Amino acid sequence: MTFVLPLLFHGDARPVLHSRCLHGSRPAIRRWGAAALVALASGLMSPVHAQSAQQTPANARSVNEWLTRMHEASRQRSYIGTLVVSAGSSMSASKIWHVCDGSQQMERVDTLTGAPRTTIRRNKDVITFVPDAKTAIVEKRESLGMFPELLRTPTNVIPQFYSAQEVGVQRIAGHVADMVEILPRDDLRFGYRIWSERQTGLVVKLQTLGERGTVLEQVAFSELQLDAPVSMEKLTKLMKDTRGYEVHKPLLKKTTAEAEGWRLKEPVPGFTPMSCHTRDTPGAGAQGSSASSMQWVFSDGLASVSLFVEPFDLQRHGQESTAEVGATHSVNRRVGDYWLTVIGEVPTPTLRRFASALERTR
């Protein structure tokens, strides 16, 4: 799911699947899991929605009201916390500083495990510092039209595919939190168990649930200071200071799947196309020439699925396969002269439906 933790977490604090993508390395995924608790902080929700949600008793809130309340909480709060992510036998942690003044929002995420990395975001502008390589990667990360925008549009299908129910109260990182389960109405998506801080609505813990309620992945604050003195000015200075770093600015071209010669011959229920980009891949393809690779992103408002399409390369692409790491699943297959990787936080059969539906139109 892509809305409840820091938007920055495209792999900064959790394990990722080792499948090739547009960059010739690993796919960047927008999802709940490690990207969840703070991503409600995208600051794009109408305050009117939040007020009506906050006035509703907890046990009577709809799925939209729960999600709106969680989003608005981080939109109005500054905080500092340590975030721990566990998926299977893997565990990772990061330190987060978050501040929002209602229109501008910033956050910094430092990895505490694995290779050192610092990511700073101001709205859609993101820079990632990799000290070991002395590189800084500058990007624009769009919200993809997913949560929370879908909550306030006629295309919101979340209530059609998910229900919400309160299941209790617990203390997390020293804060009393309401526990709510957001459960799927079919077998094409996972469910979520969320702990929402009782006074503010801020999400402090989240579990992704598989069949029969099995916990596939968990992300939670181990410590959290609400209303912390986070300086937007200081974060801005850090974001601009690239001295000693080689700056890379990957260029993506916004396009449509139709323009690139692709379509789904049948839709996957609930999933809507959100964005499509291409990137030139030097040396890709059987002839070793430059070719264009495509990422096509779908969402049902909570879960997202990415289709990565690139020219088939016999040396880089092996046999068709599937893989699972926590809640993130992937499917690889060859489609004519192209190699397809479908990846997302949904069950493998859902990814297979995308894979079998994709076809070339020219």
Side-chain angles (χ1 to χ4, degrees):
M1 197 188 252
T2 328
F3 75 86
V4 188
L5 277 183
L7 283 171
L8 301 174
F9 278 50
H10 291 257
D12 303 53
R14 67 178 186 280
V16 244
L17 295 168
H18 291 260
S19 52
R20 296 279 179 176
C21 70
L22 301 185
H23 310 272
S25 55
R26 301 177 187 174
I29 319 161
R30 291 171 173 85
R31 63 187 184 102
W32 270 82
L37 289 178
V38 192
L40 278 173
S42 51
L44 298 172
M45 180 58 61
S46 166
V48 175
H49 289 8
Q51 290 170 4
S52 61
Q54 291 172 358
Q55 293 170 357
T56 306
N59 58 5
R61 292 185 185 122
S62 67
V63 62
N64 279 354
E65 288 170 330
W66 274 110
L67 298 179
T68 300
R69 172 177 164 80
M70 295 170 192
H71 162 73
E72 192 64 19
S74 55
R75 183 175 180 266
Q76 297 176 348
R77 296 281 173 173
S78 295
Y79 49 85
I80 300 173
T82 299
L83 193 70
V84 178
V85 180
S86 59
S89 61
S90 300
M91 182 174 291
S92 54
S94 289
K95 185 82 171 183
I96 299 169
W97 294 259
H98 174 88
V99 61
C100 184
D101 63 7
S103 58
Q104 298 287 317
Q105 66 163 317
M106 293 195 71
E107 59 192 25
R108 170 183 174 178
V109 178
D110 284 1
T111 59
L112 301 178
T113 54
R117 178 175 299 185
T118 295
T119 304
I120 303 174
R121 177 177 68 91
R122 180 178 59 216
N123 297 331
K124 295 180 180 181
D125 296 318
V126 179
I127 185 168
T128 300
F129 295 92
V130 186
D132 290 350
K134 290 298 180 183
T135 59
I137 304 169
V138 177
E139 303 172 89
K140 283 190 179 292
R141 295 185 182 172
E142 298 184 8
S143 62
L144 301 179
M146 295 187 291
F147 184 92
E149 293 96 318
L150 284 181
L151 287 175
R152 55 176 178 170
T153 68
T155 57
N156 174 22
V157 296
I158 294 174
Q160 295 180 37
F161 295 96
Y162 296 92
S163 62
Q165 62 179 16
E166 187 182 13
V167 293
V169 177
Q170 282 188 353
R171 288 182 73 242
I172 303 294
H175 300 273
V176 177
D178 292 316
M179 296 170 59
V180 58
E181 289 185 346
I182 297 179
L183 302 176
R185 299 184 187 275
D186 58 24
D187 57 3
L188 295 177
R189 57 211 95 228
F190 292 136
Y192 307 95
R193 184 177 296 124
I194 307 170
W195 285 254
S196 172
E197 201 274 324
R198 170 154 282 189
Q199 296 301 316
T200 65
L202 189 72
V203 176
V204 293
K205 180 178 177 180
L206 180 145
Q207 293 175 338
T208 304
L209 308 177
E211 288 187 84
R212 297 179 292 277
T214 304
V215 178
L216 301 177
E217 186 168 304
Q218 177 172 288
V219 55
F221 283 111
S222 61
E223 60 175 355
L224 176 64
Q225 179 185 355
L226 293 174
D227 301 320
V230 183
S231 169
M232 188 171 289
E233 181 180 359
K234 183 176 180 180
L235 290 181
T236 300
K237 290 180 179 179
L238 289 172
M239 190 174 192
K240 294 179 179 179
D241 187 4
T242 58
R243 290 173 297 178
Y245 284 82
E246 183 180 352
V247 178
H248 297 274
K249 296 182 179 181
L251 296 177
L252 292 175
K253 176 186 175 184
K254 185 176 290 188
T255 183
T256 64
E258 292 77 11
E260 301 303 315
W262 296 96
R263 75 180 183 105
L264 289 187
K265 55 189 174 184
E266 61 180 31
V268 179
F271 287 91
T272 302
M274 293 296 171
S275 73
C276 188
H277 292 87
T278 59
R279 180 194 300 270
D280 287 340
T281 308
Q287 306 302 318
S289 60
S290 295
S292 182
S293 300
M294 180 185 78
Q295 180 185 6
W296 195 8
V297 180
F298 291 78
S299 175
D300 66 0
L302 298 185
S304 65
V305 173
S306 285
L307 279 63
F308 295 91
V309 183
E310 57 185 327
F312 178 76
D313 186 331
L314 186 60
Q315 295 182 341
R316 294 193 303 120
H317 301 134
Q319 295 181 343
E320 298 182 0
S321 63
T322 63
E324 299 178 8
V325 176
T328 305
H329 296 186
S330 75
V331 170
N332 299 310
R333 70 183 292 254
R334 186 173 179 176
V335 183
D337 294 329
Y338 295 86
W339 185 252
L340 169 65
T341 299
V342 189
I343 188 167
E345 239 187 15
V346 295
T348 298
T350 306
L351 300 181
R352 289 200 181 101
R353 290 184 65 158
F354 276 101
S356 62
L358 183 70
E359 66 178 7
R360 191 75 173 147
T361 58
R362 66 175 185 227

